[in-house]
Amino acid sequence: MDNLKDRVTIYQVAQAAGVSLATVSRVINKQGNVTEATRTRVEETIKRLGYKPSGLAQALATNRTTNIGVVIPSANYVYIANMLNGVSEVAKEKGFVLTLFTTGRSREDALAMIEKVIVSHVDGAIIFDDELDEEDVEKINSYSCPTIVINKKIVGERTGCVNFSYGAVLEKLIKDYYAKGGENEMTFIHVHNSGRLLGHCERRFIAAHQEINKEYHIMNVDDSYARTYTDFTQYFAIHKKGYFIAYRDSIAAAIQNAATDSGLRVPEDIEVVSLVGTKYANIVRPSITSMQLDWQEVGKRSMYMLIDLIKRELEEKSYKFDARLVERNSTKH
């Protein structure tokens, strides 16, 4: 630790270069009213002393924080982490920093995060939270904060959106299954407080079954591998057949592990599909049939759109990703 140099300050740069603090600030922020000779002397002094300008000081001088607020319900899910990786990759490439605002599972908590976004004076925001609606986004916009909303179609002067479709893929899966002679009745796994995406898929699941006049079931579970495993261990003590549509890979894995530990075969007796598939769908055994979407690309696209929106150069303010079905070993083909 004794070898670490003390951080050089702007005061030391000014003193060494024989100029005022204001002059150093103008050179750092590339502002006028500085002669070429003085600018060169200050820049050489900065290089010689190893001075690193404060990001906050530059923000105050240029009225630009280069800061993006990202609002998400949780960073624990793999797909959200992948989305954040995409956002972060573009932010790093373009010189932005990120401030993460993590909400809970209530509208009140989400609104509290919106207030924090506003008082943080970020340059723009990316919002991925099902509890927030168009009115809440407009509140951010009223403070001149350009916003990209994920998973909700909102478009305005300072607002764009990135959406994705799982429902159409799910509906096709259901109709194709029965058209090819599938015999298992399907059960949709409803996870408490799961948000808009799962709600949309559940409605499409019901509508597809009603259209082809097939029986179906809805089962409620907690968003927990351990609890779902326990619930289905009890369920499979009675029921020996079924086709289950789960929200995420961990819930799907809990179902098929409970099935195999109960002496049932996957996919001969029990078939399982994960809606929001991640890399784990291909790691577990049997591997899980899932609906895949490149969440890192969702993050990248959101960040690129936001940067263009900040510069008022975004022409297409709505973008849609389509999920695709990847058949693996948890279903019959």
Side-chain angles (χ1 to χ4, degrees), residues 205-325:
F205 173 88
I206 294 171
H209 278 82
Q210 291 176 340
E211 183 178 338
I212 60 178
N213 196 28
K214 289 290 185 179
E215 295 291 328
Y216 64 88
H217 307 280
I218 305 293
M219 183 179 294
N220 295 320
V221 302
D222 291 326
D223 193 5
S224 162
Y225 172 91
R227 292 175 186 173
T228 301
Y229 174 85
T230 299
D231 289 345
F232 270 89
T233 299
Q234 297 170 357
Y235 178 87
F236 289 136
I238 301 172
H239 304 87
K240 307 301 181 181
K241 293 281 186 180
Y243 192 121
F244 300 89
I245 309 292
Y247 181 23
R248 296 183 293 107
D249 296 338
S250 62
I251 301 299
I255 295 170
Q256 68 176 31
N257 286 348
T260 55
D261 290 349
S262 299
L264 302 176
R265 299 169 300 165
V266 179
E268 291 81 2
D269 303 318
I270 302 300
E271 297 181 77
V272 184
V273 171
S274 170
L275 284 175
V276 184
T278 66
K279 62 182 180 181
Y280 295 111
N282 202 38
I283 293 175
V284 299
R285 292 293 179 267
S287 57
I288 301 171
T289 293
S290 64
M291 297 179 193
Q292 298 291 131
L293 189 149
D294 193 333
W295 282 91
Q296 185 157 345
E297 284 301 317
V298 171
K300 287 183 178 180
R301 172 66 61 172
S302 301
M303 189 63 195
Y304 280 129
M305 288 176 65
L306 181 58
I307 292 171
D308 286 344
L309 193 61
I310 291 171
K311 297 189 294 184
R312 297 184 180 273
E313 296 176 356
L314 182 62
E315 296 181 0
E316 297 295 331
K317 293 184 177 179
S318 179
Y319 192 90
K320 182 181 178 183
F321 285 88
D322 290 315
R324 61 187 179 90
L325 180 68

Side-chain angles (χ1 to χ4, degrees), residues 28-251:
I28 291 170
N29 295 297
K30 299 185 179 356
Q31 296 173 341
N33 301 324
V34 180
T35 66
E36 190 59 36
T38 300
R39 183 180 301 278
T40 299
R41 185 164 75 254
V42 171
E43 289 174 346
E44 289 177 348
T45 303
I46 288 173
K47 183 177 181 180
R48 176 167 55 83
L49 295 181
Y51 172 67
K52 300 295 183 183
S54 163
L56 178 59
Q58 287 183 293
L60 293 173
T62 62
N63 196 31
R64 180 178 176 80
T65 63
T66 66
N67 192 2
I68 300 299
V70 182
V71 181
I72 58 171
S74 170
N76 293 330
Y77 298 149
V78 173
Y79 68 96
I80 293 181
N82 290 342
M83 184 206 73
L84 284 175
N85 284 339
V87 172
S88 178
E89 185 176 323
V90 177
K92 182 178 180 180
E93 172 194 336
K94 298 298 184 180
F96 287 84
V97 295
L98 303 177
T99 300
L100 192 62
F101 299 86
T102 305
T103 68
R105 293 178 179 253
S106 71
R107 177 167 172 76
E108 291 74 18
D109 191 41
L111 291 176
M113 286 300 105
I114 290 298
E115 292 295 333
K116 289 187 177 182
V117 171
I118 291 171
V119 301
S120 296
H121 300 291
V122 294
D123 286 310
I126 294 174
I127 297 178
F128 185 14
D129 192 296
D130 282 341
E131 297 295 334
L132 300 170
D133 56 27
E134 188 169 355
E135 182 180 334
D136 304 321
V137 175
E138 288 176 352
K139 183 176 182 181
I140 297 178
N141 288 165
S142 68
Y143 287 86
S144 300
C145 181
T147 305
I148 295 295
V149 183
I150 298 177
N151 194 33
K152 188 173 180 64
K153 192 170 180 60
I154 304 176
V155 174
E157 181 181 356
R158 303 290 279 164
T159 309
C161 62
V162 174
N163 290 286
F164 24 83
S165 173
Y166 285 88
V169 181
L170 175 59
E171 185 173 328
K172 185 177 186 303
L173 179 152
I174 294 167
K175 293 179 178 179
D176 286 351
Y177 177 77
Y178 288 115
K180 294 176 182 178
E183 298 178 350
N184 281 328
E185 287 189 359
M186 290 190 174
T187 298
F188 190 93
I189 307 302
H190 179 94
V191 177
H192 304 300
N193 298 318
S194 55
R196 185 177 293 112
L197 173 60
L198 188 62
H200 173 73
C201 289
E202 184 173 334
R203 290 190 294 273
R204 292 292 288 267
F205 173 88
I206 294 171
H209 278 82
Q210 291 176 340
E211 183 178 338
I212 60 178
N213 196 28
K214 289 290 185 179
E215 295 291 328
Y216 64 88
H217 307 280
I218 305 293
M219 183 179 294
N220 295 320
V221 302
D222 291 326
D223 193 5
S224 162
Y225 172 91
R227 292 175 186 173
T228 301
Y229 174 85
T230 299
D231 289 345
F232 270 89
T233 299
Q234 297 170 357
Y235 178 87
F236 289 136
I238 301 172
H239 304 87
K240 307 301 181 181
K241 293 281 186 180
Y243 192 121
F244 300 89
I245 309 292
Y247 181 23
R248 296 183 293 107
D249 296 338
S250 62
I251 301 299

